[in-house]
Amino acid sequence: MGRVMIMSMDLADKLRILGGAARYDSACTSSGSQRGGVKGMTGNAVSCGICHSFSADGRCVSLLKVLLTNHCINDCKYCYNRSSNDIERTAFTPEELADLTMSFYKRNYIEGLFLSSGIVRDPDYTMELMCRVLALLRGQYGFNGYIHAKAIPGGSAGMISRLGRLTDRLSVNIELPSERSLVLLAPQKDKEKILNPMGLIQRGIRDRDQRGFAPAGQSTQMIIGATPDTDYQILRLSESLYRKFELRRVFYSAYVPVGDHPALPVAGKPPLLREHRLYQADWLLRFYGFSADELLDQRRPALDPVLDPKCQWALRHLETFPVEVNRADYSVLLRVPGIGVRSAKRICVARRTASLDFEHLRKLGVVLKRAVYFITCKGRYQTDLKINEGFIYRNLAADVGSRRQIAAPAEQLSFFSEPDREDAIQCVTGEL
Amino acid sequence: MCDRRALGGHLVYLYDGSFEGMLTAIFEAYYREAPGRILAEGCWQQALDERYEKVETDLSKSGRVHDAIEAKIGKTALGMVYYGWLSHEPERATRIYEFLRLGFRIGPGITARLADPAVDALFRINRPVLREYDKQRGFLRFSVMEGGIYYAKEETVSYQLPLLTPYFFDRMTGDPFIIHDVGRRLAGVSDTRQWRIVSAETFTAPDMSPEEMDYRRLWIAFHETVAIQSRLNPKLQSQMAPKRYWKYMTEMNGGK
């Protein structure tokens, strides 16, 4: 590695630089793999994942998330590690990183390693370096815990297959939600360079043999708010990624200004509320049976800042309500605001032995202040309600408004709202 | 001595706090006299209209109740009873007894009766136990001590050692460890071949290994680094990692 000069740097400094450089990647989950401990090795994996800490921004810390090196030949305008950015560069040795992972893991600081890297020389050479670290960790150090690695855009089939056998999860970041944006801001990347490795990973997972290949599947990330792409475009893209590439997760990362390219938005607060709404909508795609076209369309391409996407959808489809909770199908219950996956399942179980009323629903975890406008129990609304769109909207919005000041809905890209209570849900669930 | 029975007081069984003791009390409830409440010794307040009877733990009686629950109501219900026992809720055994009374009447279907008050009450007791287990699996912090022993302290609200010790026994395969429940003066211990829970009344922790402080500093440095400054949200942070856990979390207590 000819370009890595600083070998005498203190390990703490390296960790600060290479951990700091990786923090904009929002995927820190250790979920999707389940395996018990193995004699002679260290570690196991729990399918729901485990959060080991929470950083000062409230995000879950589950993995030691670092770059192998922040040297990079690419100059993506939105990226902190772009070659034109004047920052200190360094790299871990494989031994340093393996030792850190083991020492942190055994102290129960982390659930495993998240390894990404700047691109050294070329994509395959970079993945070769990553494989060396992971092979050392899995082999000599006997690490049986969780590993998430980034496949490098433009990497070959051979390297991806090696990487896949060493990891629980692989991801290739889409980064920018449209080809036009890629051309503008990431000139060295193109759609093919990103989608090819995704297809290779998908094939690796499908043809998985006993040696295992990314048992926790693949994920990706998109940066939100660095480009004029709309929520509608983003959700359409996510939907097709889930369908075509069978991704487990798409992560959304509110753009934090790290560059001053004329095509990038000027410094401001990261669009956290927008990120949160996208996660909610993403949940609706994956677990609630919604399609992107039901939530948004060309004429209303932005998610509503005031109401969550499920409330929004329900208000536009009052003709499908009210729903009688004692009879409605599971798939219909899922579409009621205030009823989540868990409470819908509980309703279906509980109503087999009892006819449910509103008090029962409260016990089952239904959020009645949202649900009351859309359901009946034994044929009755909870109270006399005037059910029309304006009435419900005012009530739902008043409830949100009492928790935070709402800026008037504005054009996409311009609402940079303060972090608020609702963002709290982000890391754990997206239940609506 | 005044005869409480003559005063018509409600019967309360007191058990020794163990899982087997609680099941023995439930056995007595069926084969001797039905109580109004079942309580663990040492966490009850005497009431005028109650009479108290100590139940001697009897493994054959508790075994019969254990097997009957599993055979007649099912594994899920047995799990709920066990998690309920781990709870710190003073009335946990009473709630478990009420749950089982219904369970023995209607069988495995009971776990579907989510809206029934007796079932709901036990679910409500279970939930914080499982939530704390979930948190503590992540927030527990080991230190490496002299001789390569991993040592962690905790003060949990519910009794977590019976869940955490086997979990870490699986995770730590090759390394001996001690999880010290400071509040209950107990310890979950593994010598890598097996685990058990022992008294920690007279326990003193071994000395820290020389490199321990270095790794703590590295972890604290990493933890500071990952926070994005323009997204700072301390409220969210303490919502996700409640402050009562911070005492023993290396990155929250300054590595003490």
Side-chain angles (χ1 to χ4, degrees):
Chain A
M1 286 172 57
R3 301 192 58 204
V4 183
M5 314 288 196
I6 315 156
M7 295 307 283
S8 59
M9 185 185 276
D10 179 33
L11 192 56
D13 289 331
K14 284 191 184 181
L15 191 54
R16 253 185 228 108
I17 293 170
L18 297 170
R23 70 180 159 219
Y24 300 104
D25 219 299
S26 49
C28 191
T29 52
S30 52
S31 54
S33 279
Q34 176 82 38
R35 62 173 171 272
V38 178
K39 217 164 171 45
M41 296 187 83
T42 294
N44 56 14
V46 178
S47 66
C48 61
I50 296 178
C51 286
H52 282 259
S53 191
F54 288 87
S55 45
D57 51 17
R59 294 189 305 162
C60 156
V61 180
S62 181
L63 305 171
L64 172 61
K65 186 163 47 177
V66 290
L67 300 189
L68 181 55
T69 174
N70 62 345
H71 286 278
C72 193
I73 56 171
N74 281 1
D75 197 33
C76 307
K77 307 302 176 209
Y78 54 83
C79 181
Y80 181 72
N81 304 306
R82 64 189 179 279
S83 59
S84 63
N85 203 15
D86 184 20
I87 52 171
E88 201 170 359
R89 308 275 171 175
T90 185
F92 283 118
T93 68
E95 287 75 19
E96 280 171 341
L97 198 46
D99 177 69
L100 260 184
T101 307
M102 289 305 277
S103 305
F104 279 11
Y105 186 85
K106 287 186 173 189
R107 286 170 175 79
N108 207 39
Y109 297 164
I110 54 168
E111 205 50 21
L113 175 66
F114 178 115
L115 186 60
S116 181
S117 184
I119 300 174
V120 190
R121 209 180 296 169
D122 61 59
D124 268 11
Y125 181 70
T126 309
M127 284 208 277
E128 168 74 42
L129 296 178
M130 294 168 74
C131 282
R132 255 184 242 168
V133 176
L134 300 183
L136 182 73
L137 191 56
R138 288 281 196 226
Q140 215 166 307
Y141 285 76
F143 181 66
N144 190 39
Y146 196 91
I147 296 177
H148 178 154
K150 287 256 153 245
I152 307 294
S156 70
M159 284 315 300
I160 281 173
S161 122
R162 271 180 64 194
L163 201 56
R165 272 196 283 274
L166 292 162
T167 53
D168 288 277
R169 175 168 282 179
L170 278 177
S171 57
V172 194
N173 280 0
I174 291 259
E175 300 295 17
L176 301 176
S178 71
E179 211 174 347
R180 194 169 51 100
S181 301
L182 271 181
V183 171
L184 196 60
L185 295 172
Q188 283 103 330
K189 288 181 189 166
D190 59 47
K191 205 171 104 193
E192 296 313 309
K193 272 191 186 166
I194 295 167
L195 296 185
N196 280 344
M198 271 190 181
L200 291 170
I201 295 169
Q202 181 185 31
R203 241 167 290 146
I205 292 169
R206 277 188 180 162
D207 307 338
R208 198 180 285 162
D209 52 21
Q210 279 172 337
R211 285 159 72 199
F213 184 100
Q218 78 165 309
S219 64
T220 191
Q221 166 173 301
M222 289 181 226
I223 296 172
I224 303 308
T227 54
D229 305 296
T230 64
D231 292 339
Y232 179 55
Q233 287 169 311
I234 291 166
L235 284 178
R236 286 277 298 254
L237 179 57
S238 298
E239 187 173 62
S240 72
L241 290 171
Y242 287 129
R243 281 186 192 152
K244 276 194 208 130
F245 294 104
E246 299 164 288
L247 294 198
R248 289 287 182 90
R249 287 290 302 269
V250 174
F251 291 93
Y252 307 92
S253 172
Y255 176 67
V256 175
V258 288
D260 51 7
H261 189 272
L264 286 169
V266 285
K269 290 262 181 196
L272 296 183
L273 178 59
R274 186 174 173 204
E275 178 192 284
H276 177 55
R277 288 279 179 257
L278 280 166
Y279 273 114
Q280 291 181 314
D282 183 87
W283 239 265
L284 293 181
L285 299 184
R286 286 186 298 142
F287 303 117
Y288 289 77
F290 282 91
S291 68
D293 284 318
E294 281 181 288
L295 299 173
L296 297 170
D297 54 48
Q298 294 290 4
R299 279 172 304 129
R300 38 195 314 159
L303 293 165
D304 189 289
V306 180
L307 293 183
D308 70 64
K310 201 207 252 182
C311 282
Q312 268 294 313
W313 174 85
L315 278 178
R316 273 183 278 123
H317 294 87
L318 284 180
E319 72 283 358
T320 61
F321 296 105
V323 160
E324 168 56 45
V325 283
N326 285 296
R327 279 196 312 272
D329 284 345
Y330 173 72
S331 61
V332 175
L333 289 173
L334 276 182
R335 293 186 164 231
V336 178
I339 298 182
V341 170
R342 263 180 304 179
S343 44
K345 282 188 181 148
R346 286 185 190 145
I347 288 171
C348 291
V349 170
R351 70 187 178 185
R352 274 185 251 147
T353 52
S355 184
L356 304 177
D357 57 32
F358 285 94
E359 182 52 27
H360 289 140
L361 294 184
R362 201 184 48 77
K363 277 188 188 161
L364 297 177
V366 173
V367 184
L368 283 179
K369 68 182 179 202
R370 282 207 288 279
V372 280
Y373 310 104
F374 306 101
I375 53 172
T376 58
C377 285
K378 305 172 198 173
R380 291 227 170 90
Y381 279 109
Q382 188 178 33
T383 47
D384 282 335
L385 294 167
K386 277 196 218 72
I387 302 300
N388 65 55
E389 183 169 346
F391 173 78
I392 301 172
Y393 186 90
R394 276 192 302 280
N395 279 285
L396 290 173
D399 176 55
V400 181
S402 64
R403 286 180 281 138
R404 93 174 117 83
Q405 294 293 315
I406 297 163
E411 272 178 83
Q412 204 79 77
L413 263 182
S414 65
F415 61 92
F416 294 99
S417 96
E418 293 291 322
D420 64 22
R421 238 185 62 149
E422 273 197 71
D423 293 312
I425 324 165
Q426 187 222 295
C427 190
V428 218
T429 75
E431 282 196 66
L432 303 174
Chain B
M1 275 296 281
C2 89
D3 182 0
R4 285 257 166 81
R5 193 182 292 251
L7 291 171
H10 301 289
L11 176 62
V12 177
Y13 282 138
L14 301 174
Y15 68 100
D16 62 4
S18 68
F19 187 59
E20 290 74 22
M22 182 182 80
L23 295 186
T24 308
I26 286 162
F27 182 92
E28 301 296 346
Y30 272 89
Y31 291 95
R32 201 146 51 94
E33 190 185 343
R37 302 200 288 165
I38 300 175
L39 298 174
E41 277 179 292
C43 64
W44 50 281
Q45 277 204 314
Q46 212 139 359
L48 264 181
D49 63 340
E50 286 181 331
R51 61 200 163 86
Y52 300 90
E53 260 184 53
K54 237 175 119 163
V55 172
E56 288 303 322
T57 301
D58 179 325
L59 293 184
S60 77
K61 289 177 181 171
S62 69
R64 279 173 62 186
V65 175
H66 184 282
D67 295 347
I69 298 172
E70 194 169 2
K72 292 182 182 151
I73 325 179
K75 271 203 158 58
T76 313
L78 185 61
M80 286 178 66
V81 168
Y82 186 68
Y83 294 136
W85 170 70
L86 295 171
S87 156
H88 70 294
E89 167 65 48
E91 292 289 351
R92 58 189 179 271
T94 311
R95 298 287 98 83
I96 287 167
Y97 170 54
E98 287 161 355
F99 170 81
L100 287 175
R101 266 201 326 208
L102 186 65
F104 281 123
R105 269 215 322 272
I106 61 177
I110 188 170
T111 49
R113 295 208 179 197
L114 301 170
D116 189 288
V119 182
D120 181 56
L122 189 52
F123 266 115
R124 255 165 224 284
I125 289 175
N126 277 191
R127 240 167 265 152
V129 174
L130 295 171
R131 200 178 309 130
E132 193 168 31
Y133 174 55
D134 199 47
K135 292 281 184 203
Q136 199 60 2
R137 274 197 304 189
F139 296 162
L140 196 82
R141 296 285 176 264
F142 284 106
S143 301
V144 182
M145 312 308 263
E146 290 284 5
I149 293 172
Y150 285 76
Y151 174 65
K153 283 198 226 179
E154 65 168 8
E155 285 173 63
T156 53
V157 176
S158 53
Y159 181 35
Q160 289 288 331
L161 284 181
L163 302 178
L164 288 174
T165 318
Y167 168 74
F168 281 104
F169 182 75
D170 183 62
R171 189 183 198 265
M172 299 283 280
T173 9
D175 298 288
F177 67 80
I178 300 167
I179 303 170
H180 186 179
D181 184 333
V182 177
R184 290 180 180 77
R185 301 203 192 111
L186 292 169
V189 177
S190 156
D191 63 2
T192 74
R193 284 186 306 273
Q194 57 172 347
W195 66 268
R196 63 212 156 91
I197 294 168
V198 298
S199 162
E201 288 288 348
T202 58
F203 174 77
T204 39
D207 286 334
M208 223 185 269
S209 69
E211 75 278 9
E212 175 59 22
M213 287 316 275
D214 295 336
Y215 283 105
R216 287 190 193 175
R217 274 193 286 271
L218 285 170
W219 170 240
I220 291 169
F222 175 75
H223 186 262
E224 274 172 18
T225 291
V226 295
I228 295 175
Q229 292 307 309
S230 54
R231 294 183 67 132
L232 287 189
N233 193 348
K235 236 171 87 187
L236 178 57
Q237 182 188 33
S238 50
Q239 196 177 326
M240 303 311 294
K243 292 218 163 115
R244 65 187 175 85
Y245 292 97
W246 290 19
K247 187 171 172 188
Y248 295 118
M249 290 170 76
T250 318
E251 67 278 24
M252 301 302 202
N253 67 17
K256 273 183 288 193

